[in-house]
Amino acid sequence: LFSDIRGFTSISEGLDPKDLAHLINEYLGAMTTVIRHHRGTLDKYIGDAIMAFWGAPVADPDHARHALLAALEMQVELRRLDAPFAARGWPALQIGIGINTGLMTVGDMGSPLRQAYTVMGDAVNLGSRLEGLTKQYGVGIIVGEATRAAVRDGVFRELDRVRVKGKDEPVAIYEPLGLAGSVPQAVLDELKLWQQALRCYRAQEWDQAELQLMNLVRLNGDCRLYQLYGERVAHLRQQAPGDGWDGVTTFETK
């Protein structure tokens, strides 16, 4: 799991160093408590970013589900900080979280002068890339397809199939909406409309895709995802992708 505060540079410019230190300490403390509650291992803080993992040093067969529950609760806990932050004149925070599941190397790594207990591998790198993509799609959490497959009682919205920087194979990415039974019916109905829009988009049925997206915008006009796909449809109408198009979005930057 990787998380990052959105617009942290601007936040830093607007606070004096002491206030900034207090803000980041309170934020990191709250998020770390959530991660620990869900059996996560805190790897490190990287400025305002958090890196954590599951399944080591103690085995956890349900690691993907615990990571997902931690991410969902982190977003809830973040909103609990709004009132005390506002009382001090601090801004409300927004964070992006990326989660990926896979095999990785875990253990003490570093140099003869300094080592740290951490994880390394392709699955770790993809988790970091997924966190970065939350900004592109306007969502708070993105998980990879292995995480989605491992959490069978989760409700997910497929966002896209992407080829991230440094990887040749495309991967499907998803936004978790919650656990089955906890997601409001209105959200589930909106999800069905989105799935129809995504099918039309991938079939290059631009009129139907645009119609579905217009209906979704009427339901939720602030959703960046619907705006993004509306822009894509408008572009692809002008420059038809052709029969070989696989619907994959390639990102050349992290």
Side-chain angles (χ1 to χ4, degrees):
L1 178 151
F2 289 85
S3 73
D4 193 45
I5 296 176
R6 295 284 166 257
F8 189 66
T9 300
S10 298
I11 293 172
S12 302
E13 292 174 348
L15 293 175
D16 68 50
K18 287 185 179 179
D19 272 349
L20 182 63
H22 287 311
L23 179 149
I24 199 67
N25 286 342
E26 291 206 20
Y27 161 75
L28 292 175
M31 297 300 106
T32 303
T33 298
V34 172
I35 290 168
R36 293 284 297 275
H37 175 72
H38 290 286
R39 307 185 190 183
T41 299
L42 175 69
D43 187 308
K44 61 176 68 74
Y45 303 130
I46 313 165
D48 62 293
I50 300 172
M51 177 180 174
F53 56 87
W54 277 255
V58 178
D60 180 3
D62 218 7
H63 50 83
R65 190 172 189 273
H66 289 147
L68 179 61
L69 290 174
L72 291 169
E73 189 175 334
M74 286 169 71
Q75 293 288 358
V76 173
E77 184 66 20
L78 190 68
R79 300 283 63 86
R80 293 197 186 104
L81 295 175
D82 287 347
F85 277 24
R88 300 187 195 187
W90 299 347
L93 303 181
Q94 302 294 332
I95 62 173
I97 302 173
I99 301 175
N100 192 46
T101 301
L103 292 173
M104 58 198 73
T105 300
V106 59
D108 292 329
M109 302 180 200
S111 71
L113 296 177
R114 182 171 181 175
Q115 294 193 343
Y117 185 74
T118 188
V119 288
M120 189 174 295
D122 184 59
V124 181
N125 297 338
L126 180 55
S128 177
R129 298 290 189 270
L130 297 182
E131 180 277 313
L133 290 180
T134 59
K135 291 176 283 189
Q136 302 290 332
Y137 293 87
V139 297
I141 307 169
I142 290 182
V143 307
E145 49 193 304
T147 304
R148 176 189 179 277
V151 186
R152 298 188 177 184
D153 61 340
V155 178
F156 299 88
R157 173 166 61 175
E158 184 178 1
L159 300 175
D160 206 351
R161 289 197 293 263
V162 302
R163 188 177 290 108
V164 299
K165 182 175 175 60
K167 288 184 66 68
D168 294 328
E169 292 298 317
V171 295
I173 60 173
Y174 300 84
E175 177 194 12
L177 303 177
L179 297 180
S182 69
V183 180
Q185 186 60 46
V187 175
L188 296 175
D189 293 341
E190 187 176 330
L191 176 61
K192 289 180 182 178
L193 289 176
W194 163 248
Q195 290 169 338
Q196 294 171 11
L198 190 59
R199 282 195 295 270
C200 293
Y201 171 81
R202 289 174 173 166
Q204 301 187 46
E205 297 172 358
W206 308 129
D207 290 342
Q208 285 300 314
E210 187 173 58
L211 179 62
Q212 293 289 358
L213 289 167
M214 289 173 61
N215 290 333
L216 286 163
V217 168
R218 291 192 189 100
L219 286 174
N220 187 357
D222 294 331
C223 182
R224 170 59 186 152
L225 181 66
Y226 305 153
Q227 298 168 8
L228 174 66
Y229 271 83
E231 293 165 3
R232 288 183 180 180
V233 169
H235 173 74
L236 291 169
R237 279 184 185 279
Q238 301 299 320
Q239 298 184 15
D243 295 337
W245 184 63
D246 58 6
V248 173
T249 304
T250 299
F251 289 93
E252 300 294 347
T253 59
K254 294 182 181 179

